[in-house]
Amino acid sequence: MPYKRFILSKPNSSITELNALGLGKTDFIADFKQYYIHLLGRDEACRSPYYAGEALSQAIRDRLMERWKATHKTYKAAHGKRAFYLSMEFLLGRTLSNAMLNLGVTDTITQGMYDLGVEIEELIESELDAGLGNGGLGRLAACFIDSCATLQLPVIGYGLRYEYGMFTQTIINGEQVEKPDHWLRHGNVWEIERLEYSLLIKFGGHTEIQTDEQGIQRVCWINTHDVLAVPYDTPIPGYQNNTVNTLRLWKAVATEEFDLEEFNAGDYAESVAAKITAEHITMVLYPNDANENGKELRLRQQYFLASASLQDVISHWVKLYGENFSEFAQKNVFQLNDTHPSIAIAELMRLLVDIHGVPWNDAWAITRQTMAYTNHTLLPEALEKWPVNLMQRLLPRLMEIIFEINARFLAEVALHWPGDNARLRRMSIIEEGGQQQVRMAYLALVGSFSVNGVAQLHSQLLQQGLFHDFYELWPNKFNNKTNGVTPRRWLAGCNPELAELITETIGDSWVTELSDLKKLIPYAENAQFKIKWRTVKHNAKQRLIDYIHLQHPELNLNVDALFDVQVKRIHEYKRQILNVLHVIHLYDRIKRGDSHMVVPRCVLIGGKAAPGYVMAKKIIKLINNVAHSINSDPDVAGKLSLFFLPDYRVSAMEKICPGADLSEQISTAGKEASGTGNMKLMMNGALTIGTLDGANIEIREEVGDENFFLFGLTEGEIEARRSHYDPVSMIDQDTDLQRVINLLESGHFNQFEPGIFDGIIASIKNPHDPWMTIADFRSYIDTQKRVEDAYLDKDHWTRMSILNCANSGKFSSDRTINEYNDEIWKLEHRSVSL
Ligand code: 26W
């Protein structure tokens, strides 16, 4: 013991004593200078915005720290129920400007920095994105934890601290080139390492039955290769409410014991290799957003997250309540973000039964009352399955537990449907066949008390299709939670000019009560207001042009053009190809001298392709080649342009959505679970052209059909059409489409690269094309024509734009989280005072 009593109540550092809670300008500036000069060792000569950004972030972090501790104390004193959001991805993006917004100090700090001769914008821009996610699912987790803090709910996010996040995308010769994203290279001021809460995670080894001192037999998992899980905590501030919740991300570190064992066995190289293997676990985010590829390392990541998080929660429990778990389910609930962390169901059983001696039936009751599962996709190729033999090797005890869960579950099924062996085979957690596989979605269904989809149509399709057998068995488990996005980042933060106009018109309650945006509805008829609205959009478009010019200085962009935006992961089901077919069609019309084409249009497409998804990469190449032809053709100059925005990410969307006029949500009906980009764009006053898919359906319901551009087959029509889908004859019968396909097939866009688009062309002409792009071409083109006509009437368009924003209230993640809480988590809101 180095000291007997450690007294921190009277700090004597000027920073902690005088300023730690001060949100005034002088306090901030004093701390900023302190960090800049003394911690970072810089002076006026240093012109890099990076260090100023670091110093400012430190000063802000101090303020969060006090509130963080207060929140912690509040939750602890309440002894209430808590929720844990388990997710392999948290796509946070940047933190600084969001922290300022939520602390309510944006103006103060902007002014303070300005006084020092520093542009706050430069500091904000110098921060790297935390890209710890692929897309929708990861960004949803980030929006959710923002809402939990704003709603003052005791929710902890658990995830992985990947050393390398989502790759950065560059475009070389029109093709995607991936570069590793070493986002931690300059450190991360927002995280706090908590070595003292490290935990051991087991892999490999085998199981054995041992008898303990009381003569009770227990399964022991022994001879394992252990890895340390070290937590890193990030503060998640609520909106101006003193609440700061925790996001706890685990890093894998080799254990010393493990090294020594190998070392003493005489094999130094082996021991170093083992260390590297251990630390590989959290090295990199898998960049697949729809295809599970069954990699062993991915399973290691999943178990590492599940085990570390559960051990963390249970050790906290044991500290408070000892080995009595009778009230565990009343006080804890876990939300599984897709099946990725669903091994947690078997792990909770292991911890309760093997480690804490809870009888199987009691443990199973606890598990089934604490686990809730969210599904994010209907695509069969995205459903995770792990080979039984891989699980037996890597996680032998967990595989035993899953077999046991399955045996008991199948007995339940047999009781419900006596003699229905086909059903037993269909519903088994273990898929039989060539090699046995664990169906992770079924494990999640069996082990949870709640199963939800992420938009009405999606939840309905889960019940009718993918999970129908389970729905018949347990109809009450199933529910819907339509996604939402946080209005702090996606309106107040990214579009301050629009936010200000809204606030000066209807007050600022919308920031935490987004349905208050409805108060804007009468202003859609107000000429003065419409002029202001148009000016704000115009300015945002100008800023978007400036942003695009950073990448493409050569481009000549017209701010009055219709800004037509499709940003999302590149996937066939999202049908970026359909968008390109439309662009080619417009190009063809202009080249033919079609005088009806009067609306200049600027089409922006952005998104990353999974590195192994060959077709998605071809689609990027196609977009770039078509863009090149069009943008260098003087005949179309000023009328039509097309750009691929490289390296689409959270901070890019913050610049894109304020400047968008038209939001492209054109997936094959029934395939996009929800979509969330659609919500961000709507909130910022873009109009949607979309299919009846995912949350588009609810967007249209909210805004009204007259303010939404609907096209395409419905989910039912798509399925009905499949058996006799004949794209080739549809091409023959549509001269516009014929011309588009001819241009493509003639090699017009790949004159020096013969044949490179053959695969794409063949895929859309294939009668078995699952995405049925050609089936929706005519309806899409006609609807785009309606868009043009509508855009010509500026006043009418502005009205629709206002109404889209005004009716976007439903799509706040605050509404979504309130629903999760009311129907699944049942937590009490707790206000924090300092
Ligand atoms: C195993 C590989 C893998 C990785 C990620 C399979 C599937 C995924 C995710 C489910 C992909 C994803 O992000 N899905 C999206 O989730 C969003 C949030 O609910 C929805 O809005 C999107 O429609 C859905 O595609």
Side-chain angles (χ1 to χ4, degrees):
M1 266 298 211
Y3 35 70
K4 273 213 191 93
R5 261 169 40 142
F6 187 28
I7 301 169
L8 280 176
S9 54
K10 275 210 157 188
N12 53 14
S13 132
S14 66
I15 286 182
T16 38
E17 185 172 41
L18 298 174
N19 305 326
L21 295 175
L23 297 180
K25 194 168 85 174
T26 17
D27 291 343
F28 266 114
I29 292 188
D31 285 3
F32 169 80
K33 286 183 177 167
Q34 177 87 353
Y35 284 124
Y36 191 72
I37 298 164
H38 295 137
L39 184 82
L40 301 172
R42 312 285 140 166
D43 58 22
E44 296 91 332
C46 171
R47 297 307 307 154
S48 158
Y50 173 78
Y51 294 100
E54 286 284 298
L56 178 58
S57 298
Q58 288 283 0
I60 288 173
R61 199 186 79 168
D62 288 346
R63 273 75 183 169
L64 292 179
M65 208 57 81
E66 291 300 319
R67 286 158 180 81
W68 205 357
K69 275 187 275 179
T71 305
H72 202 78
K73 275 193 192 146
T74 305
Y75 292 162
K76 194 171 165 186
H79 287 283
K81 188 176 188 183
R82 292 184 194 224
F84 306 97
Y85 198 80
L86 266 57
S87 178
M88 292 281 285
E89 307 186 8
F90 284 92
L91 189 41
L92 298 176
R94 290 176 176 155
T95 294
L96 175 58
S97 61
N98 189 249
M100 294 194 296
L101 176 72
N102 283 11
L103 270 177
V105 296
T106 307
D107 292 344
T108 311
I109 291 184
T110 305
Q111 188 57 50
M113 289 291 112
Y114 185 82
D115 293 350
L116 294 177
V118 176
E119 268 316 326
I120 189 77
E121 202 51 35
E122 274 192 66
L123 310 195
I124 290 171
E125 288 295 312
S126 72
E127 184 178 354
L128 297 175
D129 278 42
L132 308 186
N134 272 283
L137 165 142
R139 182 56 229 176
L140 186 75
C143 284
F144 278 5
I145 56 176
D146 177 276
S147 284
C148 290
T150 296
L151 295 168
Q152 308 196 293
L153 291 171
V155 178
I156 296 181
Y158 277 117
L160 296 180
R161 181 181 176 276
Y162 302 107
E163 209 76 35
Y164 291 85
M166 188 63 196
F167 64 82
T168 54
Q169 177 194 57
T170 53
I171 301 297
I172 297 178
N173 186 31
E175 278 168 281
Q176 167 173 300
V177 175
E178 302 97 19
K179 297 232 171 74
D181 163 46
H182 196 199
W183 71 292
L184 292 168
R185 62 182 173 272
H186 309 301
N188 172 10
V189 288
W190 303 109
E191 68 181 12
I192 306 232
E193 185 190 60
R194 298 223 185 270
L195 270 175
E196 67 276 30
Y197 297 116
S198 299
L199 294 163
L200 268 189
I201 313 298
K202 296 176 182 228
F203 290 99
H206 62 267
T207 64
E208 214 174 76
I209 297 183
Q210 293 176 1
T211 311
D212 68 14
E213 313 86 61
Q214 287 109 52
I216 300 169
Q217 291 201 326
R218 282 200 195 179
V219 179
C220 292
W221 179 10
I222 55 174
N223 282 341
T224 50
H225 285 193
D226 299 348
V227 181
L228 259 189
V230 178
Y232 285 73
D233 290 351
T234 298
I236 306 296
Y239 184 71
Q240 299 179 15
N241 64 3
N242 292 328
T243 295
V244 177
N245 279 348
T246 302
L247 171 62
R248 176 161 283 191
L249 302 180
W250 300 101
K251 175 187 178 169
V253 176
T255 60
E256 278 161 46
E257 302 91 310
F258 177 42
D259 284 349
L260 267 182
E261 203 177 297
E262 299 261 359
F263 187 79
N264 293 337
D267 202 336
Y268 176 74
E270 277 286 303
S271 92
V272 173
K275 176 177 163 70
I276 291 168
T277 311
E279 299 191 349
H280 265 161
I281 293 176
T282 51
M283 201 53 79
V284 60
L285 166 80
Y286 274 93
N288 299 334
D289 73 322
N291 254 290
E292 66 99 16
N293 55 10
K295 289 277 191 293
E296 175 175 334
L297 182 58
R298 168 90 176 168
L299 179 58
R300 280 181 186 269
Q301 292 184 334
Q302 297 185 344
Y303 179 66
F304 184 78
L305 167 64
S307 182
S309 311
L310 287 174
Q311 287 190 55
D312 202 34
V313 172
I314 288 179
S315 72
H316 183 75
W317 179 267
V318 170
K319 249 180 248 156
L320 287 180
Y321 304 99
E323 297 289 316
N324 178 0
F325 287 88
S326 58
E327 284 185 19
F328 188 81
Q330 276 137 264
K331 294 283 181 75
N332 299 284
V333 56
F334 298 92
Q335 191 71 43
L336 306 175
N337 201 17
D338 217 287
T339 56
H340 316 159
S342 63
I343 189 74
I345 288 165
E347 175 66 1
L348 182 55
M349 287 301 289
R350 184 185 76 82
L351 294 170
L352 291 174
V353 174
D354 295 357
I355 309 295
H356 297 282
V358 178
W360 179 280
N361 286 334
D362 297 349
W364 186 235
I366 290 171
T367 302
R368 270 187 153 179
Q369 288 169 59
T370 50
M371 294 286 172
Y373 157 55
T374 305
N375 172 285
H376 294 265
T377 179
L378 288 157
L379 301 184
E381 61 270 35
L383 294 179
E384 294 190 297
K385 289 175 190 170
W386 293 107
V388 165
N389 57 27
L390 169 61
M391 247 196 216
Q392 274 165 336
R393 178 163 55 76
L394 204 64
L395 308 168
R397 180 55 185 147
L398 286 115
M399 194 60 246
E400 289 174 4
I401 290 171
I402 293 171
F403 275 131
E404 181 69 26
I405 291 172
N406 194 41
R408 290 167 185 246
F409 163 63
L410 291 180
E412 204 179 322
V413 176
L415 214 62
H416 202 270
W417 288 287
D420 193 345
N421 287 336
R423 203 184 279 261
L424 282 179
R425 208 167 315 118
R426 280 205 309 270
M427 295 179 79
S428 174
I429 296 170
I430 309 296
E431 181 179 278
E432 304 294 337
Q435 73 165 345
Q436 287 186 313
Q437 297 207 299
V438 184
R439 295 159 164 162
M440 298 308 278
Y442 291 8
L443 176 63
L445 287 164
V446 172
S448 306
F449 67 94
S450 164
V451 177
N452 75 280
V454 291
Q456 275 162 23
L457 174 71
H458 170 62
S459 297
Q460 188 190 316
L461 293 174
L462 286 177
Q463 294 171 20
Q464 291 166 0
L466 209 53
F467 298 156
H468 185 67
D469 288 323
F470 293 87
Y471 177 65
E472 284 192 318
L473 184 59
W474 299 310
N476 298 330
K477 263 197 200 187
F478 287 78
N479 64 92
N480 173 248
K481 296 287 167 283
T482 298
N483 283 166
V485 301
T486 169
R488 270 72 64 188
R489 184 176 296 259
W490 297 113
L491 184 50
C494 72
N495 202 345
E497 218 189 322
L498 188 62
E500 199 183 308
L501 173 60
I502 295 171
T503 295
E504 75 178 36
T505 310
I506 61 166
D508 65 1
S509 63
W510 60 272
V511 181
T512 50
E513 203 48 70
L514 200 65
S515 53
D516 284 353
L517 287 178
K518 285 215 189 295
K519 294 180 190 160
L520 286 174
I521 293 174
Y523 291 89
E525 318 301 335
N526 178 319
Q528 279 290 302
F529 184 76
K530 280 190 274 192
I531 291 172
K532 288 185 189 167
W533 190 272
R534 254 203 309 275
T535 307
V536 169
K537 185 56 94 177
H538 183 276
N539 296 343
K541 288 168 76 170
Q542 189 55 56
R543 280 193 293 273
L544 179 51
I545 289 176
D546 297 342
Y547 176 70
I548 296 168
H549 275 161
L550 295 176
Q551 316 269 353
H552 293 275
E554 77 286 1
L555 295 175
N556 195 6
L557 292 167
N558 174 1
V559 72
D560 293 318
L562 169 70
F563 277 34
D564 170 343
V565 173
Q566 186 177 23
V567 284
K568 49 185 79 244
R569 289 299 289 259
I570 309 293
H571 200 292
E572 287 162 282
Y573 86 79
K574 295 178 188 279
R575 298 200 297 196
Q576 281 91 358
I577 296 175
L578 184 57
N579 191 345
V580 176
L581 295 182
H582 172 245
V583 173
I584 296 173
H585 164 72
L586 292 181
Y587 171 68
D588 177 55
R589 266 171 60 186
I590 298 169
K591 293 296 277 185
R592 275 158 43 214
D594 186 337
S595 56
H596 295 300
M597 253 230 45
V598 275
V599 177
R601 198 190 275 251
C602 169
V603 181
L604 303 171
I605 304 179
K608 292 175 185 176
Y613 188 173
V614 175
M615 187 64 86
K617 290 181 137 179
K618 273 273 145 62
I619 294 170
I620 292 177
K621 174 70 172 159
L622 175 67
I623 298 165
N624 280 303
N625 277 26
V626 173
H628 182 77
S629 294
I630 291 181
N631 300 342
S632 54
D633 188 332
D635 293 350
V636 295
K639 294 182 184 153
L640 176 66
S641 44
L642 169 65
F643 307 106
F644 186 84
L645 295 163
D647 205 31
Y648 175 61
R649 59 197 188 283
V650 174
S651 60
M653 185 54 153
E654 289 170 18
K655 301 194 174 71
I656 294 163
C657 63
D661 291 310
L662 185 66
S663 158
E664 299 268 354
Q665 308 299 336
I666 60 178
S667 53
T668 312
K671 299 301 172 191
E672 188 69 272
S674 162
T676 43
N678 47 2
M679 301 170 181
K680 296 162 198 167
L681 288 157
M682 177 199 199
M683 235 172 242
N684 285 275
L687 277 68
T688 305
I689 180 167
T691 49
L692 282 178
D693 200 13
N696 297 352
I697 297 172
E698 292 159 71
I699 287 178
R700 177 166 164 269
E701 259 165 37
E702 292 298 302
V703 76
D705 180 51
E706 66 283 10
N707 301 307
F708 184 103
F709 296 100
L710 177 68
F711 77 97
L713 298 178
T714 64
E715 190 274 332
E717 290 164 346
I718 287 272
E719 293 314 316
R721 179 73 70 85
R722 279 195 200 287
S723 56
H724 55 278
Y725 178 48
D726 185 358
V728 172
S729 80
M730 295 185 87
I731 294 167
D732 289 344
Q733 285 158 34
D734 186 324
T735 46
D736 286 332
L737 180 52
Q738 239 175 62
R739 302 181 68 90
V740 168
I741 298 291
N742 282 344
L743 271 171
L744 273 171
E745 289 183 332
S746 71
H748 183 79
F749 303 107
N750 53 318
Q751 302 200 358
F752 305 103
E753 300 162 304
I756 56 166
F757 299 130
D758 290 359
I760 291 184
I761 301 166
S763 77
I764 57 174
K765 289 174 84 173
N766 186 332
H768 302 295
D769 172 19
W771 323 116
M772 298 174 76
T773 303
I774 296 297
D776 280 341
F777 176 83
R778 188 72 261 160
S779 148
Y780 183 55
I781 298 302
D782 292 346
T783 307
Q784 287 283 18
K785 186 74 185 70
R786 288 203 289 124
V787 170
E788 268 171 39
D789 296 342
Y791 192 72
L792 274 180
D793 183 346
K794 287 254 169 301
D795 193 66
H796 181 57
W797 185 276
T798 306
R799 189 177 172 279
M800 293 195 290
S801 169
I802 295 168
L803 290 176
N804 266 271
C805 173
N807 289 299
S808 66
K810 175 174 178 183
F811 305 105
S812 166
S813 46
D814 299 344
R815 188 268 312 149
T816 314
I817 288 300
N818 275 323
E819 289 179 9
Y820 273 92
N821 191 44
D822 292 345
E823 294 163 37
I824 306 176
W825 303 340
K826 304 186 193 291
L827 311 173
E828 277 176 64
H829 303 263
R830 311 240 174 235
S831 49
V832 175
S833 41
L834 292 177

